[in-house]
Amino acid sequence: LSSSSAASDVYKRQLLYSASDADSLISLDEKEEGAYFVFSYDEVVSFLKKKNYSTTEIEKVIKYFNITFEGNFENGLNNPYLTKNTSLNNLKKVKRDLTQLRSSKTYPFIDNKILTSWNSMYISALFEAGKIDKKNSKNAIKLLDEVLEKLYINDVLYHQRLIEKKPKVKALFEDYAFLISALLKAYDFSLEAKYLDLSSKFTKEAINKFYKDDNWLMSDDEFKSHADVYDSAYRSSLSLMIDNILKVALLTDDLDLQNLAEKSLDTNSYVLSSRPSSTVWLLRTYLAYKKGYISLKATKAMLSNKEHINYPFLLKKVDNQEKYLACKIGICFSYSKDFSEIIDEIKKNIKE
């Protein structure tokens, strides 16, 4: 959405709309799929000439973006893409100019509902990208805070809203699952207690609302639909919720939560064993359960800016003691002031 005015509005608000149409207007009453995103060779060349680009500069631009006379898309049109074979010294200016060309077209219709679950998924993805560049994690924190401000009102979590209207529909099971996951990632990055506290609160709320007669439900209204562990266009909210529960259990020393996660895994064990390729996130959650999440406890200052081991089930937990403490649910197995020593002990535990 980066080149539309609507997208600019979304960015300023730090919230993400749901989707946009694939079709956009090519005349007053005709739409065409993908029309907004493609260019003809002639329109690009003509536009760049009007912008006073030299012939040499134009050749470099069209080569860089792989815009050809024959086209690389349908009907002789071009869908710009990059290769590593060329470079542009004035790339920022070129992109700014081509964005101007694109903005002359009608942007596709935007579904401007703001969904808690989908925003939370994006936030989690930003935290993952933050492992490469911390700016992504900082942006994730800002977006998460905005979601909480706009969709968690008077102690009630909501499923969606239009930005200019008050939300009405209360959160569904998947909203809780994906938001709790994002909150846990926020805690691991920032070590701010409010994110752990909220993840714990929402976990207990989700259990009260959606866990009935040993089954998880998609909503808590009159229509009863069971949550399942099959991954589809995105990961199963139930598989993710079980993983959330394992994490919250360890970080809050709650054995009852651990037992609930174990029970939920057992309930779905047949599906996991018979169709593992359709339940990939449940398989990952089962591995986390069998290997065991490990919490590394210490003061916030001691945990900050520390590079840990490459173990997917290691969590950080702020503790007031001036030593490092490594724990699994219900038991701690190493205690040291020396960071390297505690990491070595964790590595030994992983191998056992």
Side-chain angles (χ1 to χ4, degrees), residues 71-341:
N72 58 42
F73 191 64
E74 300 169 355
N75 302 320
L77 296 171
N78 289 275
N79 182 19
Y81 65 92
L82 308 182
T83 70
K84 297 180 180 179
N85 299 326
T86 58
S87 61
L88 285 176
N89 295 328
N90 58 340
L91 180 58
K92 288 185 178 180
K93 180 181 183 304
V94 173
K95 290 173 71 176
R96 186 169 60 248
D97 288 339
L98 291 180
T99 297
Q100 183 183 344
L101 171 60
R102 174 166 281 164
S103 66
S104 64
K105 303 181 181 185
T106 302
Y107 193 83
F109 169 79
I110 297 176
D111 180 352
N112 58 7
K113 291 194 304 291
I114 296 163
L115 300 176
T116 299
S117 59
W118 289 9
N119 272 267
S120 298
M121 277 187 256
Y122 181 67
I123 292 165
S124 290
L126 282 177
F127 279 121
E128 290 300 314
K131 295 174 182 178
I132 299 172
D133 186 343
K134 285 188 177 181
K135 289 181 180 178
N136 291 309
S137 292
K138 291 177 181 178
N139 288 334
I141 289 288
K142 292 178 182 177
L143 182 54
L144 177 58
D145 289 343
E146 190 75 8
V147 168
L148 291 170
E149 179 184 337
K150 296 294 190 296
L151 287 149
Y152 181 50
I153 303 169
N154 296 328
D155 211 34
V156 177
L157 183 63
Y158 289 92
H159 169 60
Q160 65 177 45
R161 73 173 294 170
L162 299 174
I163 193 63
E164 71 278 5
K165 296 182 179 180
K166 292 183 179 180
K168 295 180 180 179
V169 181
K170 292 183 180 180
L172 307 177
F173 177 67
E174 77 164 25
D175 297 310
Y176 277 90
F178 287 106
L179 181 56
I180 292 166
S181 179
L183 286 164
L184 288 167
K185 290 178 184 294
Y187 177 70
D188 195 69
F189 171 73
S190 69
L191 300 175
E192 292 290 336
K194 63 180 181 179
Y195 297 116
L196 178 57
D197 293 342
L198 269 178
S199 65
S200 178
K201 179 182 184 298
F202 285 147
T203 297
K204 292 173 182 176
E205 273 187 21
I207 294 168
N208 290 332
K209 285 175 174 284
F210 308 110
Y211 190 66
K212 309 292 181 183
D213 301 322
D214 296 337
N215 287 295
W216 289 93
L217 304 177
M218 293 301 291
S219 64
D220 63 340
D221 54 23
E222 293 181 1
F223 181 74
K224 304 300 181 186
S225 174
H226 286 193
D228 63 49
V229 292
Y230 293 102
D231 301 311
S232 54
Y234 48 85
R235 72 184 69 170
S236 158
S237 52
L238 176 52
S239 298
L240 182 61
M241 181 61 84
I242 299 171
D243 186 58
N244 291 338
I245 292 172
L246 287 171
K247 290 180 179 178
V248 174
L250 174 61
L251 292 172
T252 61
D253 299 310
D254 192 326
L255 289 173
D256 289 337
L257 286 179
Q258 177 77 6
N259 291 336
L260 176 59
E262 182 179 357
K263 189 173 182 178
S264 295
L265 284 168
D266 186 61
T267 299
N268 293 282
S269 59
Y270 175 76
V271 176
L272 178 60
S273 62
S274 61
R275 302 192 65 181
S277 62
S278 299
T279 56
V280 173
W281 197 255
L282 184 66
L283 176 58
R284 189 265 182 203
T285 301
Y286 177 74
L287 290 174
Y289 166 71
K290 291 299 289 184
K291 292 293 293 183
Y293 274 111
I294 295 172
S295 67
L296 178 59
K297 298 182 180 182
T299 65
K300 186 175 181 179
M302 293 169 69
L303 290 173
S304 297
N305 300 317
K306 287 289 188 182
E307 294 296 327
H308 303 315
I309 56 178
N310 186 24
Y311 180 62
F313 311 128
L314 181 66
L315 308 174
K316 289 177 283 187
K317 173 69 185 293
V318 174
D319 190 90
N320 292 327
Q321 299 185 63
E322 296 285 341
K323 288 185 178 181
Y324 293 102
L325 185 63
C327 304
K328 287 190 172 183
I329 186 73
I331 184 172
C332 293
F333 58 86
S334 186
Y335 190 50
S336 175
K337 286 186 175 182
D338 185 86
F339 181 74
S340 298
E341 183 178 331

Side-chain angles (χ1 to χ4, degrees), residues 36-55 57-69 72 76-80 88 94 97-102 104-105:
Y36 180 82
F37 302 97
V38 294
F39 300 95
S40 71
Y41 176 88
D42 288 340
E43 72 175 317
V44 174
V45 172
S46 176
F47 176 81
L48 292 177
K49 284 180 178 178
K50 290 178 181 178
K51 285 286 186 178
N52 297 318
Y53 282 71
S54 68
T55 300
E57 288 174 327
I58 292 173
E59 288 177 355
K60 288 182 178 180
V61 170
I62 61 176
K63 184 177 181 181
Y64 183 82
F65 287 104
N66 291 281
I67 296 171
T68 66
F69 183 79
N72 58 42
L77 296 171
N78 289 275
N79 182 19
L88 285 176
V94 173
D97 288 339
L98 291 180
T99 297
Q100 183 183 344
L101 171 60
R102 174 166 281 164
S104 64
K105 303 181 181 185

